């Protein structure tokens, strides 16, 4: 039972344009969501998070949007840079479990072309 | 400030053998979680340790066990290895008192079972 899904295995964008990565979840109990970036031979690196009490969180070039009714979140990267090329994972958790159990999607490979 | 460290980097074992992986959390962190990442998949939660006890467990058999030491470092043990146990094993840590729920990941141990 895949509770967090990223339906696009890959995404290719031009440098300077917007990258939009999408994520859907099925468990309505999830109340905290995170995005991680992973380069080959490295562990995932935290990017940005959002609580279910918000619908938007921004940090520099990264913005996460949450649509609770649709059980959908997205990560926008503006402007995209070649160094952003990596695998992006969305993850969800329950704050009542102290957030220590993350449920991940399958990941989306982002390629930013110069 | 050292981040999360894991050892060894790579490991090759034979079916039926036992393996121990090690993790040192980021300084100031007291909670350690372990994840298994199969090729092309997102990380899957194995279990979480806090105050030297297993607090949460994912859908993994009893062949997977762990330990947390008084200095917060942790071990993951896998008995009776199967070919399907070949994966990247990630350790993540966080401060359980932190208001945010981001976890910091190590670079992982690549386990190959032949």
């Amino acid at each position: 039972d895949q509770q967090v899904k990223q339906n696009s295995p890959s995404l290719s964008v031009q440098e300077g344009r917007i990258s939009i990565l999408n994520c859907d979840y099925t468990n309505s109990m999830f109340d905290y969501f995170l995005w991680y970036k992973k380069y080959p031979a490295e562990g995932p690196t935290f990017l940005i998070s959002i609580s279910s009490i918000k619908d938007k969180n921004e940090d520099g070039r990264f913005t996460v949007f949450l649509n609770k009714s649709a059980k959908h979140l997205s990560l926008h990267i503006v402007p995209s840079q070649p160094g952003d090329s990596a695998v992006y994972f969305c993850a969800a958790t329950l704050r009542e479990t102290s957030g220590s159990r993350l449920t991940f999607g399958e990941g989306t490979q982002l390629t930013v072309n110069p | 400030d050292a981040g999360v460290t894991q050892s060894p980097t790579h490991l090759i074992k034979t079916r039926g053998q036992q393996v121990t992986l090690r993790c040192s959390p980021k300084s100031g962190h007291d909670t350690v979680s372990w994840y298994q990442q199969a090729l092309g998949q997102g990380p899957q939660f194995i279990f979480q340790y806090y105050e030297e006890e297993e607090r949460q467990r994912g859908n993994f058999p009893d062949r997977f066990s762990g330990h947390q030491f008084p200095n917060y470092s942790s071990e993951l043990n896998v008995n009776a290895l199967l070919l399907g146990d070949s994966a990247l094993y990630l350790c993540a840590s966080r401060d359980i008192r932190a208001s945010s729920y981001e976890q910091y990941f190590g670079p992982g141990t690549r386990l190959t079972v032949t």
Side-chain angles (χ1 to χ4, degrees), chain B residues 1 6 8 19 22 26 30 37-38 43 50-51 53 55 62 66 69 71-72 74 82 85-86 100 108 113:
Chain B
D1 176 25
Q6 292 186 244
V19 69
R22 295 176 175 81
K26 181 178 169 63
D30 52 9
Q37 185 180 14
Y50 172 64
E51 290 186 332
E53 289 189 18
R55 300 292 180 168
D62 292 346
F69 299 93
N71 67 352
Y72 308 118
S74 176
L82 303 174
D85 295 331
S86 295
S100 64
V113 182

Side-chain angles (χ1 to χ4, degrees), chain A residues 7 47 52 71-72 78 99:
Chain A
N7 290 314
L47 273 176
S52 61
K71 296 192 185 68
H72 177 83
V78 183

Side-chain angles (χ1 to χ4, degrees), chain A residues 3-107:
Chain A
Q3 296 187 69
V4 177
K5 285 190 71 63
Q6 294 175 254
N7 290 314
S8 299
S10 63
L11 174 67
S12 184
V13 300
Q14 285 300 119
E15 181 179 4
R17 305 295 293 268
I18 184 171
S19 295
I20 300 176
L21 298 103
N22 293 303
C23 178
D24 297 293
Y25 61 97
T26 57
N27 187 346
S28 57
M29 300 294 290
F30 287 141
D31 55 7
Y32 199 86
F33 304 88
L34 308 93
W35 283 94
Y36 282 84
K37 175 172 72 173
K38 188 178 186 301
Y39 294 117
E42 294 184 13
T45 302
F46 170 75
L47 273 176
I48 191 168
S49 61
I50 187 167
S51 163
S52 61
I53 62 174
K54 295 185 175 182
D55 55 18
K56 177 182 174 181
N57 190 25
E58 206 168 343
D59 184 2
R61 296 186 298 115
F62 302 92
T63 303
V64 57
F65 295 92
L66 175 62
N67 182 334
K68 288 189 294 294
S69 61
K71 296 192 185 68
H72 177 83
L73 63 155
S74 61
L75 174 68
H76 292 209
I77 306 173
V78 183
S80 301
Q81 300 173 352
D84 295 330
S85 297
V87 178
Y88 288 77
F89 293 99
C90 69
T93 190
L94 299 167
R95 282 180 288 180
E96 68 177 15
T97 64
S98 298
S100 292
R101 174 176 185 158
L102 298 179
T103 300
F104 283 86
E106 307 95 323

Side-chain angles (χ1 to χ4, degrees), chain B residues 38-80:
Chain B
L39 205 59
Q41 302 293 316
Q44 279 202 296
F45 176 78
I46 303 175
F47 42 52
Q48 173 222 351
Y49 276 83
Y50 172 64
E51 290 186 332
E52 302 179 46
E53 289 189 18
E54 182 183 297
R55 300 292 180 168
Q56 298 182 61
R57 189 177 183 93
N59 189 24
F60 279 81
D62 292 346
R63 299 186 297 108
F64 289 77
S65 63
H67 190 78
Q68 185 180 35
F69 299 93
N71 67 352
Y72 308 118
S73 67
S74 176
E75 287 181 350
L76 164 64
N77 302 293
V78 187
N79 294 323

